[in-house]
Amino acid sequence: MTAAETGTRTTVSVVIPVKDDDTELRRCLRALALQTRLPDEIVVVDNGSTDSSAEVARAAGARVVRCDERGIPAASSCGYDAARGDIILRLDADSLPSHTWVQTMSEALERQADVSAFTGGARFIDGPRRLRRPLAALYLGAYAAVTFSALGHLPLFGSNLAFRASAWRDVRHEVHRHDPEVHDDLDLAFHLGLRHRIRYLPHAAMGISMRPFGDRVGFRRRVWRGHHTVVIHWPEDFPPVRWQKLALQRALHRRGPSPTRSRSGR
């Protein structure tokens, strides 16, 4: 039964991992303060910043959680663990959500009880103006096309992401949170996607920065991390094996809930 049917209101946490991005974080928090539906809390995970990111977050009313373990996977997981809401929304410090982003994401999960995670698209907010939309479409389209064959379903995009806290608790001990070279949202998709339904939400508008793509070394590292994230799930999730698992899960879902549920224990 959905929240709308029961008359209850779900609570929403926004999680933002940050490391030395105080200027962009200030802009992101300002956008979150202007939402048509304000989140119940904002959790900023300070991953060892040496600038004023933590002070900026506190000044905006966010709850700051410190994560001394290096890497986005550790910082993101720390934020998800700390979140108190029924729904967890994730974006990056240099992201710029539209004023309806929190409402759009949270209402989608409230309406569709059979979906555990929604992922949205993005547009670039800097760089050459003419190239912003086509490059964003190319980037996200390529990411989805490449990862779909490995996952057998939609990937998750960490700059524009919403999922149920209950789904996170189901997989929190399986994700590779201690590997700083893991592509954290792709890793989360591997684990959520086996037992939970992921869907794309087209109207969840998000602006992202083109900064990472101006650095060739950084871009190559992103590509390598994606490859690394895929292969560390092998042989258990080698594509033909994973596809069979997904087919079995879907067949069981059509028949109704199973009294027992297997876990990978990773």
Side-chain angles (χ1 to χ4, degrees), residues 69 86-87 118 129 139 185 198 200 203 218 229 238 251 263:
E69 184 176 352
D86 304 310
I87 292 172
F118 278 103
R129 188 172 296 275
Y139 166 60
D185 40 358
I198 298 170
Y200 176 72
H203 304 300
T229 304
F238 190 66
R263 301 179 70 92

Side-chain angles (χ1 to χ4, degrees), residues 197 246-257:
R197 186 169 295 179
L246 289 168
L248 177 60
Q249 287 287 344
R250 288 162 185 161
L252 291 174
H253 178 76
R254 286 194 293 269
R255 295 176 186 175

Side-chain angles (χ1 to χ4, degrees), residues 38-242:
L38 293 175
D40 295 276
E41 66 168 355
I42 299 174
V43 180
V44 173
V45 185
D46 180 13
N47 197 207
S49 296
T50 57
D51 66 1
S52 61
S53 292
E55 289 75 13
V56 166
R58 291 190 184 97
R63 179 159 61 99
V64 177
V65 176
R66 185 173 178 86
C67 176
D68 293 321
E69 184 176 352
R70 182 177 66 90
I72 298 176
S76 298
S77 296
C78 182
Y80 303 154
D81 286 342
R84 299 165 180 158
D86 304 310
I87 292 172
I88 299 173
L89 273 58
R90 153 75 192 275
L91 75 170
D92 295 320
D94 60 357
S95 298
L96 187 63
S98 72
H99 69 288
T100 59
W101 180 67
V102 172
Q103 180 176 350
T104 299
M105 283 294 208
S106 56
E107 286 184 352
L109 283 170
E110 289 170 347
R111 285 194 306 268
Q112 300 190 46
D114 62 328
V115 177
S116 292
F118 278 103
T119 189
R123 58 181 177 83
F124 288 125
I125 54 176
D126 51 22
R129 188 172 296 275
R130 292 182 183 178
L131 298 178
R132 291 178 186 178
R133 285 188 180 276
L135 283 180
L138 178 64
Y139 166 60
L140 292 175
Y143 173 62
V146 170
T147 56
F148 188 91
S149 60
L151 292 167
H153 54 74
L154 282 174
L156 296 172
F157 179 47
S159 297
N160 192 353
L161 175 60
F163 53 92
R164 301 184 192 280
S166 57
W168 166 247
R169 290 191 293 269
D170 185 38
V171 301
R172 63 182 297 269
H173 296 296
E174 301 174 13
V175 298
H176 295 79
R177 65 171 72 203
H178 302 300
D179 185 346
E181 296 305 314
V182 155
H183 195 303
D184 68 299
D185 40 358
L186 179 56
D187 181 56
L188 182 59
F190 265 102
H191 300 285
L192 274 184
L194 275 180
R195 297 191 294 271
H196 298 272
R197 186 169 295 179
I198 298 170
R199 290 291 181 266
Y200 176 72
L201 195 59
H203 304 300
M206 179 65 65
I208 62 173
S209 175
M210 203 181 287
R211 291 183 308 163
F213 306 97
D215 177 5
R216 291 184 180 180
V217 174
F219 185 73
R220 284 198 297 268
R221 174 169 286 186
R222 281 173 172 255
V223 173
W224 184 86
R225 283 177 174 171
H227 171 76
H228 172 65
T229 304
V230 170
V231 298
I232 62 172
H233 291 88
W234 294 354
E236 292 90 348
D237 284 317
F238 190 66
V241 177
R242 183 175 177 87

